[in-house]
């Protein structure tokens, strides 16, 4: 209306509005290593402006939950966007329980518990791996007084950022010979190998 008196001519009416149900749910991918577990969370359903995903865990059979963290996925995040969390300091070959959920505000270790996870609650278990590292057969290139050795390490996980291989030698022709430590090298994660070079060897000896 252009004039104030024209508002009086308007007929009133009513309308109703029902907000959509909170159908937010979590999807989770878990990568178990020997001492860590890596979680990747994605969100389905109608997003709120702020969607805080909070994670707790405990060793199976334990009474107390351990707080991991609470991270926010904003409503404008791309479809399929993921939030990652890592649980560290775990014991190998051990089963753990986890529980995660969604809230509209941050849940901290000091002011929250699993009871605050009301929406999209996700529960399950995961089991850490054992130490499956093992050496492959060395590739040896020998000269008159030297030997180059390349050895591969299998069974490495994301936890194994600092794996070392130690090399010892001894003269098998001498029954009293003792093992002598030559070197200890960190495994190159590009190829999961360690390369040694030993010099000063006696010709014709095993």
């Amino acid at each position: 209306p252009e004039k104030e008196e024209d508002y009086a001519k308007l007929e009133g009416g009513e309308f109703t509005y029902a907000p959509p149900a909170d159908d937010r749910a979590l999807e989770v991918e878990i990568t178990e290593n020997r001492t860590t577990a890596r979680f990747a969370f994605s969100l389905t359903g109608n997003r709120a402006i702020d969607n805080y995903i909070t994670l707790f865990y405990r060793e199976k059979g334990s009474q107390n939950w351990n707080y991991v963290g609470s991270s926010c996925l904003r409503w404008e995040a791309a479809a399929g966007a993921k939030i990652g969390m890592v649980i560290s300091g775990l014991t190998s070959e051990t089963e753990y329980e986890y529980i995660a959920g969604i809230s509209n505000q941050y849940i901290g270790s000091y002011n929250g518990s699993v009871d605050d996870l009301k929406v999209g609650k996700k529960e399950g278990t995961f089991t850490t791996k054992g130490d499956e590292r093992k050496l492959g057969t060395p590739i040896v290139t020998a000269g008159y007084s030297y030997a180059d050795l390349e050895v591969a390490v299998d069974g490495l996980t994301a936890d194994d950022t600092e794996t070392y291989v130690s090399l010892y030698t001894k003269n098998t022709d001498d029954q009293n010979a003792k093992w002598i430590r030559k070197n200890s090298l960190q495994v190159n994660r590009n190829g999961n190998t360690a390369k040694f070079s030993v010099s000063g060897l006696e010709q014709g000896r095993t």
Side-chain angles (χ1 to χ4, degrees):
E2 296 181 358
K3 300 179 181 179
E4 184 175 349
E5 56 267 24
D6 291 336
Y7 281 97
K9 300 177 183 179
L10 296 177
E11 295 183 2
E14 297 181 357
F15 71 94
T16 59
Y17 170 73
D22 193 343
D23 61 350
R24 290 175 293 176
L26 287 177
E27 295 181 355
V28 59
E29 299 174 5
I30 306 173
T31 303
E32 300 99 333
N33 297 307
R34 195 168 61 257
T35 60
T36 64
R38 300 175 183 273
F39 285 70
F41 292 102
S42 55
L43 185 64
T44 62
N46 295 305
R47 296 180 184 175
I49 294 177
D50 292 323
N51 306 273
Y52 285 92
I53 300 172
T54 305
L55 175 64
F56 292 83
Y57 82 99
R58 66 185 179 187
E59 187 173 335
K60 189 171 184 180
S62 176
Q63 297 298 315
N64 299 320
W65 289 98
N66 302 298
Y67 174 84
V68 179
S70 185
S71 296
C72 183
L73 184 67
R74 294 276 298 176
W75 69 272
E76 69 268 23
K82 295 182 179 181
I83 282 181
M85 297 187 194
V86 179
I87 303 175
S88 58
L90 303 176
T91 303
S92 63
E93 298 182 280
T94 303
E95 187 174 9
Y96 292 88
E97 299 174 292
Y98 74 88
I99 182 169
I102 308 165
S103 62
N104 294 335
Q105 59 186 6
Y106 177 80
I107 296 177
S109 59
Y110 56 90
N111 68 344
S113 70
V114 294
D115 296 330
D116 298 312
L117 305 180
K118 306 293 186 183
V119 179
K121 188 182 294 185
K122 188 84 171 180
E123 301 178 64
T125 63
F126 63 91
T127 302
T128 50
K129 294 182 178 180
D131 193 341
E132 300 175 353
R133 291 175 294 179
K134 60 182 180 180
L135 296 178
T137 301
I139 300 174
V140 180
T141 302
Y144 290 110
S145 60
Y146 75 92
D148 293 334
L149 299 90
E150 180 176 1
V151 58
V153 181
D154 299 323
L156 295 174
T157 72
D159 293 344
D160 302 314
T161 57
E162 294 186 359
T163 295
Y164 288 82
V165 177
S166 297
L167 176 66
Y168 291 76
T169 65
K170 76 173 182 177
N171 184 351
T172 58
D173 295 334
D174 183 354
Q175 294 182 352
N176 297 320
K178 296 181 179 180
W179 287 103
I180 300 173
R181 183 178 181 274
K182 291 296 185 180
N183 204 349
S184 183
L185 298 177
Q186 185 173 359
V187 175
N188 185 333
R189 290 307 305 268
N190 289 331
N192 293 343
T193 60
K195 297 180 180 180
F196 296 89
S197 183
V198 182
S199 60
L201 303 177
E202 295 183 48
Q203 296 184 28
R205 294 293 186 96
T206 301

